Amino acid sequence: MDIESTPVLDNHLHLDPVNGRNTEAVDDFADHGGTHLLVLNKPSWHLVETATDEATFREAFDLTVEAAADATEILPGRAWPVLGVHPGLVSRLVEDGYTPEGARDIMQRGLDVASEYVTDGPALAIKSGRPHYEVTDTVWDASNAVMCHAFELAAAGDFAVQLHTEGGEDFEQVAQWAEDRGMNRRQVVKHYSGGRLQGPTKSVLADKDELEVAIEEDEPFLMETDYIDDPERPGAVLGPKTVPRRVRWLLENGEDEAVRTAHVETPKAVYGIDTEATLSQ
């Protein structure tokens, strides 16, 4: 197998049509062999303003839907939006004077709106999670309640949830919370994952060492860059060329099956998408 004959999916990448490179980053991805993207909305305050109501959430979501549509025009495959509420919003709201419970309610309403974009068609999945930094117990509890609300919405709509959380390898409790609310744990995706993870499906940052660990684990996984499309931090977290380059490296080392796992089989199992069929259209 060579890179020209396989789908190449970046499972978590941001595009910023307001301040970033936007389609120029998609060109870089496609020029190096990339075919499919999951485009995550940036935090609302990077695109419009700090979201506190439905209208502001929709404004930020619509920008990402448009960015994904523009990306699809460039790609040999296609892009799908993944929409949701960044877990760091809780801290911004608390700093602005909201109680943790009030922040929880705002964020849950934002997820309600995001879920509408999935059930009505333009989006593929939603995003939630909890802070990756230290917070008070009340903020932590509020954040877990927001995340569990995302699981409830996903179970009702039969779609996936990408999670932004703290680091670590043991997220069995989180996967169990999702199952308790009716989700299949394989549809819970831990973004920015290492190669070893217990509980959700792992979306492995495209680092060679972590990819080798993921292959050794012999479990379903996805690949991502978490490219943030910020002109002040070019290439952060990883640049848009990285996933195609890692796929080429894997194929050169005979890891055809791992490439198929990450770019065909796991996307189909988690999101219900057919990267091969959409590549040939």
Side-chain angles (χ1 to χ4, degrees):
M1 183 191 297
D2 56 34
I3 195 167
E4 286 76 19
S5 61
T6 181
V8 176
L9 169 72
D10 188 331
N11 182 65
H12 189 109
L13 170 144
H14 301 280
L15 295 175
D16 187 335
V18 178
N19 303 301
R21 298 181 66 222
N22 199 30
T23 53
E24 291 180 7
V26 181
D27 285 330
D28 284 348
F29 176 73
D31 288 347
H32 285 74
T35 62
H36 295 76
L37 291 171
L38 296 196
V39 181
L40 282 287
N41 63 279
K42 295 181 73 170
S44 59
W45 56 92
H46 288 295
L47 296 173
V48 284
E49 59 187 77
T50 300
T52 58
D53 57 24
E54 179 177 328
T56 313
F57 280 116
R58 288 190 183 278
E59 188 177 359
F61 295 161
D62 287 343
L63 285 169
T64 301
V65 170
E66 293 168 9
D70 290 342
T72 295
E73 294 298 313
I74 296 169
L75 296 169
R78 62 160 296 175
W80 292 270
V82 175
L83 306 175
V85 180
H86 192 283
L89 179 59
V90 68
S91 298
R92 294 184 70 91
L93 292 174
V94 169
E95 288 170 3
D96 287 343
Y98 290 89
T99 65
E101 294 75 20
R104 174 200 65 202
D105 293 345
I106 289 171
M107 295 171 73
Q108 288 180 340
R109 286 199 296 274
L111 289 172
D112 291 341
V113 175
S115 71
E116 292 177 15
Y117 281 73
V118 182
T119 56
D120 292 345
L124 180 66
I126 64 174
K127 176 183 76 171
S128 186
R130 61 192 185 193
H132 62 276
Y133 48 87
E134 188 173 347
V135 295
T136 65
D137 289 346
T138 53
V139 168
W140 186 251
D141 291 343
S143 299
N144 280 325
V146 171
M147 182 170 59
C148 287
H149 185 66
F151 297 153
E152 292 168 358
L153 293 169
D158 190 24
F159 51 77
V161 177
Q162 282 203 25
L163 295 181
H164 174 117
T165 72
E166 74 280 9
E169 296 181 357
D170 186 358
F171 287 85
E172 178 62 33
Q173 183 185 57
V174 170
Q176 187 59 55
W177 286 346
E179 288 186 336
D180 290 345
R181 286 156 180 81
M183 282 193 74
N184 184 328
R185 66 170 57 202
R186 75 180 179 185
Q187 290 186 286
V188 181
V189 179
K190 169 73 170 73
H191 129 76
Y192 206 98
S193 176
R196 187 176 292 107
L197 187 73
Q198 182 178 350
T201 299
K202 53 200 168 195
S203 182
V204 181
L205 197 67
D207 170 86
K208 288 184 178 181
D209 291 342
E210 294 298 340
L211 290 172
E212 288 176 341
V213 172
I215 293 167
E216 289 172 5
E217 292 292 295
D218 194 25
E219 297 170 344
F221 73 99
L222 298 150
M223 291 172 59
E224 67 167 79
T225 56
D226 192 23
Y227 174 68
I228 64 173
D229 198 10
D230 181 348
E232 296 184 1
R233 298 175 62 196
V237 171
L238 296 175
K241 304 173 186 177
T242 310
V243 165
R245 284 173 169 170
R246 295 293 181 264
V247 168
R248 194 181 303 274
W249 168 73
L250 288 170
L251 294 174
E252 289 171 352
N253 285 277
E255 298 290 357
D256 296 36
E257 189 55 43
V259 170
R260 182 167 183 83
T261 294
H263 299 276
V264 178
E265 295 174 356
T266 307
K268 184 176 291 185
V270 171
Y271 303 110
I273 57 177
D274 190 332
T275 54
E276 291 179 313
T278 49
L279 181 59
S280 63
Q281 290 175 353

